Amino acid sequence: MKKYIFSSYAFSFIKEAKKIAEATGFQLVLGRYNPLSVAGKGLIIGNPDYVTKRIIDMTRRVEFKCYLVLEGILVNKSLLRYYNRFTVVVPSQFVRECLEASGIHVDKVIPHGIPKVHGREIVKREKPRLLYIAWWHNWLPRKYPKEAIEGLRLVKEPFELTVLTSRNNPYVKELSKYGRVITKVGELSENELLKLYQSHDFYLSMSNSEGFGVPVLEALSCALPVIHVDARPFNEITTPECSFRFPYEKVVEHPCPYFQGLLHKYSPEAFAEAIDEAIRTYLYEFDKYRAMCMCASAVAQRYTYKFTYEAFRELI
């Protein structure tokens, strides 16, 4: 029986679908296709929304299992009833708790994976380079909370920032003050993306809510210590030995079309202090910084395909 990988339309889902297909050998189905031409078993990657539902409903000759991501509580009752019909897999314990709090049974947690650990040459510069990537074609407030923009203004230590974002990000001009902004989300090749990670010294996550946080994992695979809010799913991926964490003050519900998003609201001061601590470690405790880089690579090793996506072979 043939096995297939389907994806919802977001770039981040398509990116993961390609990786799972590479790891498992399942046939990848993207773009337009004849629903009657595919038959067998399939895994679909997406949110528990109407877009994913539509793909399932029109592809009637495939027995689906769902790999779902959500950054909050699903409140649409019809969607709850619909997705409870399937085997549901999620990438993090945070998503599991969100969906189970919504009323959807989760069968398994399989984290996102990477093909291998790349590493990089660890060098000392006058100003450390920080990188942030948001895998989304449209600007999302949760990926660029105003607390992060305000916090950057409070950083005391020297740094250079690179941001890979969408063209409609309203903070492009502000972010450009700290380095460069690349408005080519989804346009860089895998090799170009790898070089981007490897040419930086830290990964700075501004986001206050994610279902997993793939760029965090990709950064670890390039031996980059990560600066992030001390909340799940970020602290599910990293360890204290390879990250600089700043606390959040409260969890705020953010209304979305079919769910209530859960945002981990942090202060600009806490955000800035974590960045300053990371930079001071780099500038004045370089041996400690180097050890954190080695730890980042070791953590990333746990997420190679052998330990993640291979589980889909048994599931489907």
Side-chain angles (χ1 to χ4, degrees):
M1 183 177 290
K2 287 190 175 182
K3 297 181 179 181
Y4 301 90
I5 300 292
F6 296 78
S7 171
S8 188
Y9 304 137
F11 172 78
S12 56
F13 296 145
I14 295 172
K15 180 180 171 73
E16 288 308 303
K18 290 178 178 178
K19 289 164 59 179
I20 295 174
E22 176 188 350
T24 60
F26 299 166
Q27 184 173 332
L28 180 65
V29 181
L30 290 177
R32 294 184 178 183
Y33 65 96
N34 181 354
L36 299 178
S37 67
V38 289
K41 295 186 176 182
L43 178 74
I44 185 164
I45 305 169
N47 295 125
D49 59 13
Y50 289 106
V51 175
T52 304
K53 179 179 181 298
R54 181 176 178 275
I55 296 171
I56 295 173
D57 287 345
M58 73 178 187
T59 315
R60 299 182 179 180
R61 298 178 64 199
V62 172
E63 178 188 337
F64 277 100
K65 290 180 171 60
C66 300
Y67 193 30
L68 301 179
V69 179
L70 191 71
E71 301 88 26
I73 306 299
L74 186 65
V75 293
N76 186 299
K77 298 301 181 184
S78 65
L79 288 174
L80 279 172
R81 291 190 294 271
Y82 182 83
Y83 284 103
N84 262 325
R85 300 161 44 200
F86 300 98
T87 296
V88 172
V89 184
V90 297
S92 68
Q93 291 294 339
F94 173 65
V95 176
R96 179 176 204 153
E97 291 189 13
C98 285
L99 287 182
E100 291 187 339
S102 305
I104 293 181
H105 174 71
V106 174
D107 297 273
K108 194 175 183 65
V109 176
I110 300 177
H112 291 317
I114 51 174
K116 66 177 183 178
V117 176
H118 297 283
R120 64 185 169 91
E121 182 183 2
I122 301 172
V123 298
K124 184 77 174 287
R125 316 176 206 274
E126 291 185 6
K127 293 181 181 180
R129 298 174 181 173
L130 281 58
L131 173 67
Y132 179 51
I133 296 174
W135 288 128
W136 195 256
H137 286 293
N138 291 311
W139 172 72
L140 290 176
R142 67 178 173 84
K143 292 183 181 289
Y144 295 92
K146 62 181 179 60
E147 293 82 7
I149 306 303
E150 295 170 2
L152 287 172
R153 301 170 191 152
L154 302 177
V155 177
K156 299 181 179 67
E157 302 294 344
F159 70 96
E160 295 178 1
L161 176 65
T162 301
V163 177
L164 177 59
T165 186
S166 58
R167 291 182 175 86
N168 65 342
N169 187 332
Y171 295 121
V172 166
K173 185 175 180 180
E174 173 80 12
L175 293 168
S176 297
K177 297 177 183 178
Y178 306 103
R180 61 178 176 147
V181 176
I182 306 170
T183 54
K184 293 184 177 181
V185 171
E187 298 178 30
L188 299 184
S189 68
E190 288 299 316
N191 190 50
E192 288 173 323
L193 182 62
L194 176 61
K195 289 181 179 179
L196 186 64
Y197 280 113
Q198 291 177 325
S199 64
H200 287 77
D201 306 300
F202 293 97
Y203 183 78
L204 171 63
S205 178
M206 301 183 194
S207 178
N208 60 23
S209 182
E210 295 290 345
F212 184 80
V214 171
V216 169
L217 178 56
E218 292 176 336
L220 292 175
S221 77
C222 293
L224 293 181
V226 180
I227 306 166
H228 65 80
V229 64
D230 193 6
R232 293 180 302 164
F234 308 103
N235 57 18
E236 291 182 43
I237 308 170
T238 71
T239 68
E241 292 77 21
C242 66
S243 61
F244 294 89
R245 303 173 176 183
F246 49 93
Y248 64 91
E249 297 179 332
K250 57 184 176 180
V251 177
V252 176
E253 290 188 354
H254 175 69
C256 298
Y258 58 94
F259 72 100
Q260 289 284 352
L262 299 179
L263 309 181
H264 300 88
K265 303 287 282 186
Y266 54 81
S267 71
E269 292 78 12
F271 180 75
E273 178 52 38
I275 297 174
D276 277 330
E277 181 186 355
I279 296 173
R280 286 193 293 267
T281 300
Y282 178 88
L283 293 176
Y284 310 119
E285 299 180 81
F286 196 73
D287 286 344
K288 179 180 178 181
Y289 168 78
R290 187 185 296 275
M292 295 184 77
C293 296
M294 296 301 100
C295 180
S297 294
V299 169
Q301 189 66 44
R302 307 171 193 169
Y303 292 90
T304 53
Y305 291 163
K306 176 183 177 181
F307 301 105
T308 54
Y309 292 153
E310 282 292 322
F312 284 119
R313 293 180 184 274
E314 301 175 7
L315 184 71
I316 301 176

